[in-house]
Amino acid sequence: MAETRSDGATTRLRLDIAYDGTAFAGWAKQPGLRTVQGVLEEAISRVLGNRGRPIVLTVAGRTDAGVHATGQVAHVDLDDWQLTRFSTSQNDPTVTHDPGHMLLRRANGAIGTYADVLIRRARIVPDGFDARFSALWRRYEYRIADSVSVRNPLDRNPVLWLNETLDVDAMQSAADALVGLHDFAAFCKPREGATTIRTLQEFRWRRDEHGELRAHLRADAFCHSMVRALVGGCVAVGLGRIRVSDLLPLFDQQNRAALFPVMPARGLTFVEVGYPDDAELAERAQLTRQRRTLSGLVDDDDDDE
């Protein structure tokens, strides 16, 4: 159990989260809409009786409407009263519990059985941890069942069904051409004041044992709609509608025009976030807040998926 403090300081907890994004209007809270952040913050607040500091989750990557997650990460700061609430038995105040475990149990209970969002793990982390800015990389998966795949109706939410046949080798050639440090403006939905320079560290395609195509993408960060646009470019190549060489000039352009469409959200899942060792968390967060350029890092930048 964490020590009880009276200096007004907070204790930070890391939450590992999974959700089916089908019925959510994305991660971020929006007035009048059901969002992952809104459901989780409301559940934790309800368990606490809406006492103490407001519950606000900071997330590793804000996902769009319809996007799923198996390895999303967020953090929340609890004040002394809230931490004690999760650390002490409701029936016997002399009995203490791990606050992360109790937050998980009680918040998931408040959300309900068979919910489409679940806290998988919760634990106290060092003060230097920031779910968003301490991240070294994020990993996504995109799944497609084309005309030669064995389709499973139980997987219809996280898999895009396509009634055409894709050339996975051509798609891998396209993916290979996109890897590296680039300005991905042509593959992103623009956000005022945010850079579109990213390092795409890994982009692999394969067919699994059922013939389903799976794309694995890892980058230091992804800008808005970037994953679905990158997948869209590969799918256009895999269908023979464009060539790999047609993609390369896009790094010198600010938009992709009508060359290929952005893929639907339903096939996309946020699967993992990588962080450095505890001693390097704060330094990494400070570095990430700087603006990316093709030659280095300058200024501050508010950057996320």
Side-chain angles (χ1 to χ4, degrees), residues 177-179 182-184 186-187 230 247-253:
L178 296 169
V179 170
H182 303 290
D183 186 342
F184 286 94
F187 296 88
L230 291 170
L247 296 175
L248 301 181
L250 294 178
F251 289 131
D252 297 319
Q253 301 175 17

Side-chain angles (χ1 to χ4, degrees), residues 6 17 27 66 68 72 77 81 92 107 149 158 166-168 185 191 200 204-205 220 231 237 239 252 258-259 274:
S6 58
I17 303 161
W27 165 270
H68 317 290
Q72 180 68 274
D77 294 328
W81 183 90
D92 185 349
S149 305
L166 292 164
D167 182 339
V168 69
R191 265 186 58 227
L200 183 60
R204 295 182 290 105
W205 285 95
D220 53 351
V231 171
V237 171
L239 292 173
D252 297 319
L259 189 60

Side-chain angles (χ1 to χ4, degrees), residues 21 40 63 82 88 101 124 191 224 233 265 268 270 286 295:
L40 289 171
T63 51
Q82 293 168 330
T88 305
H101 176 68
I124 294 175
R191 265 186 58 227
H224 194 190
L268 184 59
F270 189 160
Q286 182 178 8
S295 59

